[in-house]
Amino acid sequence: MFDPRASFVVPGRGVPAQGEKLVREAYRRDFRQRDAQIRNRDSWKFERRQHFEEQGSPSRDAFRRGDWDEALRLLEERRDDLLALSREDERRGSFFHRVRVVETPLTPYMQWELHSLRLRAECGERIRVIGVEKVAASEKTDPLPEVVILGGWTLYYVLYTATGVPNGAVRYTDPGIIEDWEKYIKNLYEVGEDVISYFDRELTYLRSPGTKLE
């Protein structure tokens, strides 16, 4: 059984493989620079946590205030920008794939995020949802980390505080680590469900976080 965590450990030594720690702003800057250089290579993201404290999102801020209708309206305002990003991906021949682990019952955050992911999928992003049972064999001790792979060249082990606030990343460029994780995420993507069909089945009867329609 492949243990994805073992990718970050030097075989036989039990110590972390060498990576470069990036604080949040350095990670964001590095991500943008490297992503802009990708041509004809796909990228992959694995999302595991069920709660984040996203920063810089007006919709997320409205959600925190309890204004669900405003949160959804602000998400919809991003549609044109997301469509433009998809057109740019087409031009570069580089597509972003996302695998999202979803546990039930849904956390309030996950209900909000699934609305965001559905919008992204409608605009062209390739997103699939998997249940927690798909990663159970790899989570004997702790949940898996959040991982992003850009163009098969760079892997980010994304860091968060205990409360889910973004806290930078560790950057890896070792081909072996990247290959192991890319294969792992691709396999999960293959068995995942398109986020739109998942949303239409599981969230249609949810009005706002934790509230079902009568």
Side-chain angles (χ1 to χ4, degrees), residues 24-180:
R24 185 179 177 220
E25 287 309 312
Y27 165 50
R28 289 161 62 91
R29 184 169 57 253
D30 192 74
F31 185 104
R32 288 193 298 267
Q33 290 173 348
R34 290 172 182 260
D35 183 55
Q37 297 172 9
I38 298 172
R39 298 293 184 276
N40 302 312
R41 299 286 298 269
D42 289 343
S43 296
W44 299 84
K45 184 172 187 179
F46 173 77
E47 292 184 306
R48 176 64 183 88
R49 293 180 63 106
Q50 302 299 294
H51 178 82
F52 296 101
E53 289 296 336
E54 303 213 12
Q55 310 292 301
S57 167
S59 174
R60 183 72 172 101
D61 292 341
F63 172 57
R64 286 192 190 93
R65 297 193 302 269
D67 193 342
W68 183 240
D69 291 339
E70 177 69 359
L72 296 184
R73 186 190 70 78
L74 289 167
L75 280 179
E76 182 61 31
E77 282 190 352
R78 300 190 61 214
R79 185 178 292 273
D80 287 346
D81 289 341
L82 293 171
L83 287 169
L85 287 174
S86 289
R87 289 192 293 269
E88 176 63 12
D89 287 347
E90 289 274 2
R91 186 187 68 80
R92 296 191 300 160
S94 175
F95 299 97
F96 195 85
H97 301 71
R98 188 187 304 251
V99 173
R100 206 334 153 189
V101 178
V102 176
E103 296 185 42
T104 55
L106 297 176
T107 63
Y109 172 83
M110 279 304 308
Q111 189 173 339
W112 174 82
E113 187 188 344
L114 284 164
H115 279 80
S116 176
L117 294 180
R118 189 186 200 282
L119 174 63
R120 286 178 173 274
E122 289 175 345
C123 295
E125 190 171 322
R126 302 174 182 193
I127 305 171
R128 293 189 181 177
V129 170
I130 60 170
V132 69
E133 72 281 355
K134 299 296 185 184
V135 296
S138 301
E139 296 190 330
K140 298 298 186 184
T141 54
D142 300 299
L144 289 168
E146 312 288 315
V147 169
V148 181
I149 299 172
L150 292 183
W153 297 325
T154 309
L155 181 148
Y156 298 103
Y157 183 127
V158 189
L159 303 174
Y160 296 88
T161 67
T163 58
V165 176
N167 196 29
V170 181
R171 182 181 64 204
Y172 294 90
T173 56
D174 180 276
I177 293 175
I178 295 170
E179 182 179 356
D180 283 349

